[in-house]
Amino acid sequence: MSTSDSYDYDVLVIGAGGAGLRAAIEAAAMGVSVGLICKSLLGKAHTVMAEGGIAASLSNVDERDNWKVHFADTMRGGQYINNWRMAELHAKEAPDRVRELEAWGALFDRTKDGRILQRNFGGHKYPRLAHVGDRTGLEMIRTLQDHGIHQGISVHMECTIITLLKNGSQIAGAFGYEREKGQFKLYRAKSVIIATGGIGRAFKITSNSWEYTGDGHSLAYHAGAELIDMEFVQFHPTGMVWPPSVRGILVTEGVRGEGGILLNKENKRFMFDEIPELYRNQTADNIEEGWKYTQGERSARRPPELLTRDHVARCIVKEIKEGRGSPHNGVFLDISWIKDKLPNAAEHIKKKLPSMYHQFKKLADIDITRQPMEVGPTTHYMMGGIRVDADTQMSIIPGLFAAGEAAAGLHGANRLGGNSLSDLLVFGKRAGEFAAKYAKENSQALPVNEDDISTFSKWALNPFERTEGENPYQLQYDLQEMMQDLVGIVRTENELTKAIDEIKKIWARADKIKVVGNREYNNGWHTALDLKNLLTVSEAIAKAAVLRKESRGAHFREDYPQKDEKNGKFNFVIYKGDDGDMKVKSEPVPAIRPDLLQIIEEMK
Amino acid sequence: MPVATFHIWRGGITEGKNETYSTEISEGMVVLDAVHQIQAVHANDLAVRWNCKAGKCGSCSAEINGLPKLMCMTRLSDLAIDKPILIQPMKAFPVIKDLVTDVSWNFAVKKKIKKFKPRPPDAIDGTWRMVQNDIDRVQEFRKCIECFLCQDVCHVLREHKLHDQFIGPRFLVYVAALEMHPLDIEDRLQDLKNEEGIGYCNITKCCTTVCPEDIIITDNAIIPLKERVADRYYDPIKKLLSIFRTGKVKTKG
């Protein structure tokens, strides 16, 4: 490769959302050279879409909150197959990471005494989410971006990594292309951090943008890293369902946090009939108590709408399946009812949920201060990902780190709302710190294998060579449709087995796709390259899901509808076999430290 | 289903033309949906930038029938579909290809603006106290999604191409957010007057009109900054007094 197309860094960060930016900032602060790869423009990553807030036990609103409660809530939400050490670090360090954002210019909504305000969210015992109306993600990414651009980080916008490069067992860099001219780029690095986010585009109905094709999961897997918990895909209970073109766009849980209720077509608050045993003690059994909880009354218990996302999503599916759904196959989410409770309800809603107001007004002609919204589940978040060491975030490949949604462990079988933004900050920082440390300890960059580069550039250009072949958009669409139907919210053995077959067929078709036009800013070419990643993660999800013969958290099996104690003691680990095929093994959930177990027991 | 016709710019900065495409439209569709349909079926290599499709990331800025808009927030039902709908790239920036423009100038401009510099923490635990009323205005500015539509419509940039002398409305809003941040103690007035070129803005308010976040750019951000600059540099009485004073003129607050 010519020198103009190659770069040398101590630490290369792939992905520039919350985790990638936080990692890059930390690595730069350690005095190493840092390259940051953005799939889109800087500041456009999906973090920008996060609405509700950042979970951290600042205890500004309720002094009973502390890291132990946050830890116990996270483990309960994850149905106890989380990596307990990650959950501990996360709960302990999140408050400092939030305060740090304030020192970098973030302006969170305030309490009456001038501190950071916190709001209620599903599965969190106390009001815990630091927020800015319903645009917390924008505030977070902009703060990190505006701080990060002054830290000497080299930013490569609109670049996509095609493969990681190794030297023997160790990481040596990455190879990719920049979109504007379509030219290949080589990045040599002593350590690499994957912070590429999720996999939502594997499904038809999703809140995720085009970028979320499981790139990091796939890059790490093909380089020899392990993936865990891939069967756990979070379907957010409330996405827009109408009109068709906005289907899947997120409606923040903040709506329910502010008092929004779920109703079926009979105008019944069906969630009151759906309170699971594990949460019965913590859940309100009447309308008045639920309302009081959302208004901060400390003796009140949370309304059932604020049960965990996996559960609420399934209850909504049940209402729809049993014929009690709304006209466009959703249910109703109503915040306008609070006008019975508050004198200035319309203004209050606009102040607390400005972008929801805007989104429904503009895209669906619905005024949420006067009318209910129609909502249904949407593919939202990937609990599964690259298996990392809890403290350092390093994968089993020396020098390869991962953070944020692309890494796994913290959330177990189901993530609590608000725990994603705090995850990005806590483990983004840790990944940056330990990747920089690793780079310093390994002062020699390892040479990359030139053969790998020629193999992958040839592979990437193949679709241009074909005169005949399928359209990459069509293939992506077929995969999404199949995954939605067969590997969605409610799963069965038959459908999952069928999905694995279908994925095999689509893999074969993907080898024959055709791309038209030239290499410059070619969205079609990009879609073609993304297919490998989408297929890799789809296969991993289906293969792990077929083996988990129980229902736990986000993974629901109609043929095994109960939780199973034996299954609950294992995580499924995905790895590439020596024959190149995808393999799954089960490994015991790491034994929890006794003091942490005691915390869980005390808070049950 | 009804069919709508689109004239979409295809090509680069020097060569190119508006190509005609027709596609079926359904209820609730936005312009970006139509562009995606055309891309998936008729023009796989059509270049378009987008991410969130919900008006939150500011990626899909373009000119629709000549007006700067986000494609994801412009509904077809608000346009006359009996005539072809014209979709073109933003004109204040060089075209890379089709609907994608080179907006890198904006990122370079931001980097030159003095960064946030907070006062020492108010409490011993390293935190600050701020009243909601004091941050409402800055929160308005921080709603900005950096779509650069305000830059696109600003005649100083669009017509006069003064990109090297004027930072444009987006970055005046950015400076305003920093200057009015209750914790910030940096001084940016000299930069505003000189290299950032605030004097070029002659308050036509076009930027405010196109802002998809409804930020009152001119009245709430630019005019107060202009007043601060005028107070510092053009107030004759203050000028006189400052001769007798030592140290920096206090402008914060």
Side-chain angles (χ1 to χ4, degrees), chain A residues 324-345:
Chain A
R324 295 184 297 274
S326 64
H328 302 106
N329 271 324
V331 294
F332 295 108
L333 171 62
D334 188 20
I335 182 80
S336 71
W337 80 284
I338 70 170
K339 61 180 178 283
D340 301 342
K341 299 282 182 187
L342 292 176
N344 54 345

Side-chain angles (χ1 to χ4, degrees), chain B:
Chain B
M1 261 190 269
V3 170
T5 303
F6 295 83
H7 289 171
I8 301 178
W9 177 260
R10 298 297 313 267
I13 191 163
T14 47
E15 277 176 50
K17 61 173 182 147
N18 293 319
E19 293 279 358
T20 303
Y21 301 96
S22 293
T23 193
E24 282 187 350
I25 61 169
S26 58
E27 188 177 343
M29 252 170 93
V30 294
V31 169
L32 186 61
D33 293 317
V35 171
H36 280 158
Q37 251 172 239
I38 290 163
Q39 185 187 50
V41 180
H42 306 290
N44 282 187
D45 62 339
L46 170 62
V48 56
R49 237 186 223 128
W50 71 283
N51 282 291
C52 77
K53 209 178 165 295
K56 293 195 176 76
C57 77
S59 300
C60 63
S61 306
E63 299 188 5
I64 301 163
N65 289 340
L67 295 174
K69 282 179 186 298
L70 294 178
M71 288 188 274
C72 72
M73 297 302 277
T74 307
R75 293 178 66 176
L76 293 174
S77 54
D78 294 333
L79 302 169
I81 59 159
D82 51 337
K83 287 178 288 198
I85 295 163
L86 180 64
I87 311 176
Q88 293 177 300
M90 288 192 285
K91 290 207 176 60
F93 306 109
V95 175
I96 290 174
K97 188 184 150 195
D98 306 339
L99 299 176
V100 175
T101 51
D102 177 359
V103 291
S104 57
W105 171 79
N106 292 286
F107 291 91
V109 167
K110 187 187 244 188
K111 213 168 169 174
K112 282 193 255 171
I113 294 167
K114 283 182 189 156
K115 66 175 183 177
F116 175 67
K117 185 174 161 190
R119 70 180 184 228
D122 301 335
I124 43 166
D125 64 355
T127 60
W128 289 270
R129 300 291 176 268
M130 286 179 268
V131 185
Q132 184 65 42
N133 277 342
D134 289 343
I135 64 168
D136 281 342
R137 174 54 42 83
V138 183
Q139 285 188 330
E140 177 195 353
F141 301 150
R142 291 182 68 91
K143 284 194 305 184
C144 171
I145 55 173
E146 299 199 331
C147 63
F148 307 130
L149 289 173
C150 58
Q151 307 286 70
D152 184 43
V153 81
C154 175
H155 62 100
V156 183
L157 301 172
R158 189 185 178 96
E159 316 293 340
H160 303 289
K161 309 276 178 214
L162 294 178
H163 293 73
D164 55 344
Q165 296 170 57
F166 180 57
I167 60 174
R170 158 58 193 138
F171 294 106
L172 291 174
V173 168
Y174 179 64
V175 173
L178 289 164
E179 285 287 302
M180 296 182 203
H181 193 301
L183 304 186
D184 184 77
I185 52 169
E186 186 57 89
D187 182 352
R188 300 173 189 81
L189 292 191
Q190 193 175 1
D191 292 350
L192 271 177
K193 174 175 165 280
N194 298 329
E195 50 265 41
E196 291 166 9
I198 191 169
Y200 281 110
C201 167
N202 57 359
I203 325 186
T204 52
K205 303 194 183 187
C206 309
C207 50
T208 304
T209 315
V210 300
C211 178
E213 283 292 316
D214 300 322
I215 301 170
I216 314 294
I217 299 174
T218 320
D219 290 1
N220 291 351
I222 301 180
I223 292 175
L225 287 180
K226 277 176 171 282
E227 285 170 353
R228 290 179 186 208
V229 170
D231 276 355
R232 161 93 61 92
Y233 296 102
Y234 304 106
D235 183 327
I237 297 168
K238 273 197 184 158
K239 185 94 181 170
L240 198 64
L241 286 173
S242 73
I243 293 169
F244 303 107
R245 248 189 235 156
T246 52
K248 193 174 130 181
V249 181
K250 190 177 172 347
T251 54
K252 278 276 168 188

